[in-house]
Amino acid sequence: MWHWKNIYRGMIMGASDVVPGVSGGTIAVVLGIYDQLIEAINGFFSKEWRRHLKFLIPLGIGIGTSILLLANLIEWLFEHHPGPTKYFFLGLIIGVIPYLTHKADMKNSFKSNHYVLLLIGAVLVGSMAFFQTSESAVITNLTFGSYVMLFFSGWLASSAMIVPGISGSFLLLIIGMYSTIINAVANLNFGVILVVGLGILCGIIFMSKLIEFFLENYTSGTFALIIGLVVGSIFVIFPGIPGDLGTWLLSIITLISGLLFAWFLGRVEYS
């Protein structure tokens, strides 16, 4: 059975992956498909690969379509309305947390060591807010070394994309490759897109196997760390208090919109 509903899920995940500070893995959690996503990626290399392909292809179509269609829009929003845009995704991230705690059965399964892991995850991601995140110039003169860097940038970003709370786009921003990659997507530079895509594929395969192992053997501890990573990402994406009344009001509206959108997705997926 083909999971065609995954097209719209993939579009939401793709939109979030373009935004620095937001993790596609986080969105997969609120959509209720995170466990299935990890299982499908690893199951693609098993005897039941056809069944898992029916899950992954619609999701991939949605993610790819969203990134291609929204790259220019996201670029424009961050250039002209960075604060309110971040507040929307801030609301979305905060809205994810209740679903995560419910999924982890936090009240019944967490012990003191799990809360320590949660704190470690929050501090680990939250500390990224202190990294230099100023935009670097788009690399136009691409050399062999540049393509190697693009491949490993895709690997690093995809590893983060699949882990809730860690933003692949934000890591690209830190290492200075975000502008080059988002520009390539917006202008359909297929050479760069192909190299980064290969890196993303390799990173997803490696990280999904690692996450599956920990989810199967250390379920509560893994969820504790994931919740901590998501909480920490709030500090990363928080843009500060708006300086004028108009931006402040718009930011409040987008924050509430993000919260309501997370609630709506949760109602749709978990009802």
Side-chain angles (χ1 to χ4, degrees), residues 21-23 26-27 29-30 85-102 165 226-239 251-252 254-266:
V22 184
S23 163
T26 303
I27 304 303
V29 170
V30 77
T85 303
K86 287 188 176 182
Y87 266 102
F88 173 80
F89 284 98
L90 186 64
L92 193 59
I93 291 170
I94 294 172
V96 166
I97 295 174
Y99 297 105
L100 267 175
T101 57
H102 174 74
I226 286 174
I227 293 170
L229 295 175
V230 173
V231 170
S233 70
I234 294 173
F235 298 96
V236 174
I237 199 173
F238 180 64
S251 297
I252 292 296
T254 54
L255 174 68
I256 294 172
S257 298
L259 288 167
L260 289 174
F261 191 51
W263 174 83
F264 171 75
L265 289 176

Side-chain angles (χ1 to χ4, degrees), residues 128-229:
M128 291 183 181
F130 299 100
F131 281 83
Q132 178 59 256
T133 60
S134 59
E135 285 284 358
S136 57
V138 175
I139 300 172
T140 54
N141 185 24
L142 294 170
T143 62
F144 176 76
S146 300
Y147 281 108
V148 172
M149 183 63 180
L150 285 166
F151 174 83
F152 283 104
S153 295
W155 179 300
L156 179 66
S158 68
S159 298
M161 285 175 193
I162 206 169
V163 179
I166 301 181
S167 164
S169 295
F170 186 75
L171 291 183
L172 291 177
L173 205 58
I174 291 174
I175 65 177
M177 298 301 290
Y178 180 78
S179 295
T180 299
I181 294 173
I182 201 71
N183 179 265
V185 173
N187 294 286
L188 298 180
N189 185 334
F190 292 107
V192 172
I193 292 172
L194 178 62
V195 173
V196 175
L198 288 173
I200 288 173
L201 181 62
C202 293
I204 285 176
I205 292 170
F206 172 79
M207 188 56 68
S208 65
K209 291 186 179 297
L210 191 63
I211 292 172
E212 185 179 48
F213 170 79
F214 281 103
L215 279 174
E216 287 182 355
N217 297 280
Y218 307 97
T219 306
S220 294
T222 303
F223 269 110
L225 186 62
I226 286 174
I227 293 170
L229 295 175

Side-chain angles (χ1 to χ4, degrees), residues 76-88:
W76 184 87
L77 286 172
F78 265 88
E79 182 179 348
H80 295 91
H81 304 284
T85 303
K86 287 188 176 182
Y87 266 102
F88 173 80

